[in-house]
Amino acid sequence: MDAKRRIEELRREIEKHMYNYHVLDNPTISDFDYDNLMHELRDLESEYPELVTADSPTQRVGAAPLDAFDKVVHEVPLGSLNDIFTLDELIAFDSRVRDAVGDVRYVVEPKIDGLSVSLEYENGQFVRGATRGDGETGEDVTNNLRTCKSLPLRLNCEIERLIVRAEVYMPKKAFAAINHERELTGEPAFANPRNAAAGSLRQLDPRIAAKRRLDIIAFNIQKISGAQLATHTETLELLSELRLSAIPFTVFGDIDSAYQQVMKLCETRWDFPFDIDGAVIKVDDLAQRATLGNTARVPRWAVAYKFPPERKATRLLNIIVNVGRTGVLTPAAELEPVRLAGTTVSNATLHNQDYIDERDIRVGDLVFVEKAGDIIPSVVGLAPEPDAASGARVRSEPYRLPEVCPVCGSPAVRDADKSAVRCQSADCPAQAVQRIIHFASRNAMDIDGLGEAVAEQLTSSGLVSSPADIFELSKDDLLKLGRSGERSAAKLLSAIESAKTRDLSRLLFALGISQVGQKAARDISVRLRSMDRIMTATVEDLLDIPDIGKITAQKLVDWMALDSSARLIDRLRQSGVNMESQTPAPLTKLAGSTFVVTGTLREFSRPEIEQLILSLGGKTSGSVSKKTSYVIAGENAGSKLEKATSLGIPVLSEAEFRTIIE
């Protein structure tokens, strides 16, 4: 079988399995078999780069970071809905509809609290996605939308042109996991899934959007060629047939039944995997919609019934303090148990000292509790005391976070730039488990087999309290844990030995220094080349490195100045852990130049030419702007070439680019 035909077969099979898993929640093959299919496809595309296409499953996270988003004028405006809050308002809506069109059927859908986007398909292929914006003009977020696993990059039917309206959201489980990660690293938690989704969808780097695990549900066909559809239900059924994830819906012939469904959605909203803030009631018949028309602002054929947030009052019994991986002290409320959003809540987050001060929350107060995103319980403010209790009760003193770590007794100091209060000791036992998990994680030292369960065993048994202890483990130590056999112990020790050879950038990231993420660790390591130089670098030295800001520089210098940090690095060095950068220092021939690549290239693949530009000190972008230095144009270059010409930006052929770099 030739490579092209096999690649097409693999893409179709993988897309089918992605639909089964992410849309139908009904996987038909094991993860292992799925990974093998993806592995085979990547190998073939690597061997035949000319066969790589934008709709391949391997290209969901393949675009370079953008400098800015291009504007998109919506072919069909993305309007909003009129909000209602009572049964009387719903009955009034029904009366207006029936006066205009007579008998009517209504479709009731959950209203997802996310971000509305348009999706454009041409000949069955996903070509562009844009945010709603002001309804007339949005932003091109195509590359970020490609990271949504439930979004088909190619439909199972080649419709000439299709524009779909959809809602991007962050699933509740993903929201909870991301906020947990941010809390451990001292970053502020997202307020709710909608804010998290909005921030993720507008990341200029698609790799960041991919890590946020966004999802998407289609709820309307804006425009379609070659299909005659009479009702909204037909459009939703067609979306499902095309393998798009379509909004769940029910149909009713009277407004009373529709209202009962709205109330049912309100009562069961906690059971959905996404956050919903209401229900949408729509006229089903498309001809009747056309008769009803629109006002200047909203359609007359639909309304959004908004749900009130569930909020309960309960007594704040105590405030306890948890210590995360980076030493951040996080206050948490111990509450009288209360039933909220489907579960019994006895603990809730208080976020930080500023949050407590702004709401004047004290132990013993009656407080309101909500679930942020219907998941994370949060104290949102004071509740009025019952009359009998208000006169007799004396409030406690205002709460202050401790000035020393409640676990190790080291000083706890507030970050100058943030609201976080942080334990200053790298030896703090409370941070040990999370610090070990991070140190061994895939993007850090990549110690296969040292996951959360093993890290907890190692720390609770006293074998490991510092990352340096990992490299002093023996087979006997691991066998004492009780879960490890000879073979698994040998495998873990082999992985630990391999970790000693990791690049300096991975080690620097693995140390878990506040504000020093993967990119900063890589940039610093490539420039300074050794741990010794990093340890002695000043803030001014670090600020000379592109993209390293003052906050990151100061955090790194402060961390390196700690005696506990010096001891940790010295122990790692004595264990044979690599302390040098193994990444070739980038050439600077293209330093300061930003390139946009467009069209079909002959000599290079898109990833090859972009990597070459980066290796020579240049930058790449996915859109043309005034900041663009050059556009490299291949065959069939389109709008980017036109924009470059209009802005007077130099345009290079592949041969001209080759001349420059040689």
Side-chain angles (χ1 to χ4, degrees):
M1 181 182 295
D2 63 28
K4 183 176 182 181
R5 188 165 29 152
R6 180 55 181 161
I7 285 174
E8 285 297 318
E9 284 182 359
L10 285 168
R11 288 173 183 168
R12 284 193 296 270
E13 188 172 359
I14 289 169
E15 288 288 355
K16 180 187 70 176
H17 291 307
M18 292 183 74
Y19 175 74
N20 291 340
Y21 183 89
H22 294 285
V23 178
L24 301 182
D25 196 23
N26 182 33
T28 53
I29 62 171
S30 68
D31 290 348
F32 179 79
D33 290 337
Y34 176 84
D35 291 342
N36 281 338
L37 292 174
M38 283 293 289
H39 186 72
E40 182 183 354
L41 179 58
R42 287 195 185 98
D43 285 349
L44 281 171
E45 289 184 344
S46 176
E47 189 175 352
Y48 301 96
E50 69 277 8
L51 298 179
V52 177
T53 59
D55 64 347
S56 173
T58 64
Q59 300 303 298
R60 287 188 177 271
V61 190
L66 303 175
D67 291 328
F69 293 111
D70 289 337
K71 297 296 182 184
V72 175
V73 177
H74 295 299
E75 190 172 334
V76 180
L78 274 61
S80 58
L81 294 175
N82 187 39
D83 291 339
I84 62 173
F85 301 89
T86 66
L87 174 58
D88 288 342
E89 290 176 290
L90 184 59
I91 291 172
F93 162 73
D94 177 57
S95 297
R96 291 192 298 271
V97 168
R98 291 183 184 277
D99 287 345
V101 299
D103 287 341
V104 66
R105 291 198 320 164
Y106 290 111
V107 178
V108 179
E109 304 165 355
K111 184 180 181 297
I112 300 175
D113 192 15
L115 290 95
S116 193
V117 296
S118 68
L119 311 173
E120 297 180 37
Y121 287 86
E122 293 180 359
N123 298 318
Q125 293 194 19
F126 176 59
V127 294
R128 186 165 67 171
T131 60
R132 177 179 178 271
D134 61 6
E136 300 287 339
T137 303
E139 293 178 317
D140 189 331
V141 288
T142 304
N143 291 334
N144 287 347
L145 287 172
R146 285 179 182 275
T147 68
C148 297
K149 298 291 182 66
S150 59
L151 176 69
L153 302 182
R154 177 167 52 179
L155 303 175
N156 61 348
C157 177
E158 292 193 5
I159 296 173
E160 183 178 343
R161 182 148 178 79
L162 174 68
I163 304 178
V164 174
R165 186 166 178 179
E167 197 81 1
V168 175
Y169 66 92
M170 181 173 287
K172 292 178 180 179
K173 287 184 178 179
F175 175 72
I178 287 170
N179 264 356
H180 179 65
E181 292 168 6
R182 292 173 73 86
E183 188 174 287
L184 291 174
T185 57
E187 297 177 274
F190 288 118
N192 53 58
R194 189 185 189 284
N195 286 5
S200 304
L201 189 61
R202 299 196 71 256
Q203 290 288 333
L204 294 172
D205 189 343
R207 292 169 297 185
I208 298 176
K211 292 178 182 177
R212 302 283 176 81
R213 291 164 281 182
L214 297 177
D215 213 329
I216 191 165
I217 288 186
F219 64 87
N220 198 62
I221 290 180
Q222 303 288 90
K223 185 175 184 178
I224 187 170
S225 60
Q228 299 297 319
L229 301 168
T231 65
H232 180 60
T233 55
E234 289 180 12
T235 67
L236 295 178
E237 289 164 356
L238 176 60
L239 290 174
S240 293
E241 291 172 10
L242 295 174
R243 289 190 179 161
L244 281 149
S245 179
I247 196 81
F249 67 93
T250 46
V251 183
F252 302 95
D254 62 277
I255 203 63
D256 290 336
S257 298
Y259 177 70
Q260 293 303 317
Q261 177 64 15
V262 171
M263 291 298 98
K264 182 179 179 182
L265 288 174
C266 184
E267 293 169 5
T268 60
R269 56 175 153 161
W270 328 115
D271 300 332
F272 285 89
F274 41 75
D275 200 14
I276 69 173
D277 61 352
V280 179
I281 303 96
K282 303 175 179 177
V283 171
D284 188 31
D285 189 281
L286 301 184
Q288 288 181 332
R289 288 189 185 186
T291 301
L292 288 162
N294 305 277
T295 68
R297 189 176 60 89
V298 296
R300 294 188 177 92
W301 45 263
V303 289
Y305 194 109
K306 299 300 287 288
F307 300 152
E310 186 172 26
R311 173 181 290 188
K312 294 285 183 69
T314 189
R315 189 69 62 187
L316 174 58
L317 302 178
N318 193 19
I319 296 176
I320 59 174
V321 177
N322 298 313
V323 183
R325 172 176 65 81
T326 59
V328 173
L329 276 60
T330 303
E334 290 186 341
L335 307 165
E336 284 187 355
V338 61
R339 191 74 178 170
L340 181 68
T343 61
T344 299
V345 171
S346 56
N347 296 281
T349 182
L350 285 165
H351 301 292
N352 52 55
Q353 185 67 58
D354 289 349
Y355 188 89
I356 294 172
D357 291 345
E358 289 164 5
R359 292 157 180 79
D360 190 25
I361 296 168
R362 307 186 192 186
V363 173
D365 285 344
L366 195 66
V367 294
F368 281 125
V369 184
E370 291 182 2
K371 279 192 174 182
D374 297 336
I375 298 178
I376 303 173
S378 176
V379 175
V380 295
L382 297 176
E385 289 284 350
D387 292 339
S390 57
R393 194 179 68 84
V394 177
R395 299 185 73 200
S396 63
E397 292 294 315
Y399 179 81
R400 303 298 304 174
L401 279 169
E403 295 181 357
V404 297
C405 174
V407 176
C408 71
S410 298
V413 179
R414 178 170 175 143
D415 289 351
D417 55 303
K418 290 185 178 180
S419 58
V421 175
R422 195 183 305 273
C423 170
Q424 299 300 295
S425 174
D427 296 327
C428 178
Q431 304 172 46
V433 174
Q434 293 300 329
R435 187 165 62 243
I436 298 303
I437 292 170
H438 172 74
F439 187 86
S441 64
R442 180 173 297 179
N443 292 326
M445 298 300 276
D446 193 17
I447 303 177
D448 187 29
L450 210 171
E452 183 173 349
V454 174
E456 288 178 350
Q457 277 192 303
L458 290 170
T459 53
S460 63
S461 66
L463 287 171
V464 171
S465 60
S466 160
D469 295 333
I470 295 171
F471 298 97
E472 297 174 3
L473 289 169
S474 67
K475 182 181 287 188
D476 288 342
D477 290 332
L478 297 178
L479 292 176
K480 289 176 186 176
L481 296 178
R483 287 178 51 176
S484 297
E486 292 263 353
R487 186 173 179 181
S488 58
K491 186 176 179 181
L492 178 54
L493 289 174
S494 175
I496 291 171
E497 190 65 27
S498 295
K500 294 179 182 179
T501 65
R502 302 285 183 250
D503 187 70
L504 173 64
S505 62
R506 282 177 170 264
L507 174 60
L508 186 59
F509 173 62
L511 293 174
I513 304 167
S514 179
Q515 299 294 320
V516 181
Q518 284 179 260
K519 184 178 185 304
R522 184 172 60 251
D523 293 344
I524 293 167
S525 300
V526 169
R527 174 64 73 90
L528 298 183
R529 311 302 297 168
S530 72
M531 183 62 79
D532 287 338
R533 289 190 62 190
I534 293 173
M535 293 177 73
T536 58
T538 64
V539 170
E540 290 71 25
D541 293 334
L542 295 168
L543 290 177
D544 283 341
I545 302 172
D547 298 329
I548 300 300
K550 188 173 183 180
I551 293 174
T552 299
Q554 190 64 59
K555 292 287 186 186
L556 179 58
V557 169
D558 290 347
W559 191 89
M560 290 294 178
L562 295 171
D563 290 341
S564 55
S565 302
R567 289 196 299 271
L568 172 60
I569 291 172
D570 185 55
R571 287 186 62 198
L572 291 169
R573 192 194 307 272
Q574 290 179 24
S575 295
V577 175
N578 172 58
M579 297 282 165
E580 306 291 329
S581 175
Q582 300 162 343
T583 305
L587 301 174
T588 57
K589 190 174 186 67
L590 302 181
S593 297
T594 299
F595 290 78
V596 172
V597 183
T598 184
T600 303
L601 305 179
R602 289 183 174 275
E603 186 176 349
F604 303 94
S605 68
R606 185 70 58 87
E608 286 173 345
I609 198 168
E610 290 180 345
Q611 185 57 46
L612 179 58
I613 291 167
L614 293 173
S615 71
L616 293 172
K619 295 182 179 180
T620 62
S621 174
S623 60
V624 177
S625 69
K626 292 180 180 179
K627 296 180 180 179
T628 305
S629 307
Y630 299 94
V631 169
I632 302 172
E635 296 177 1
N636 302 316
S639 59
K640 292 178 183 177
L641 177 58
E642 295 173 4
K643 187 171 183 179
T645 303
S646 67
L647 293 175
I649 293 168
V651 177
L652 304 175
S653 65
E654 288 180 84
E656 289 168 330
F657 172 71
R658 174 65 74 183
T659 299
I660 288 176
I661 63 175
E662 290 178 350

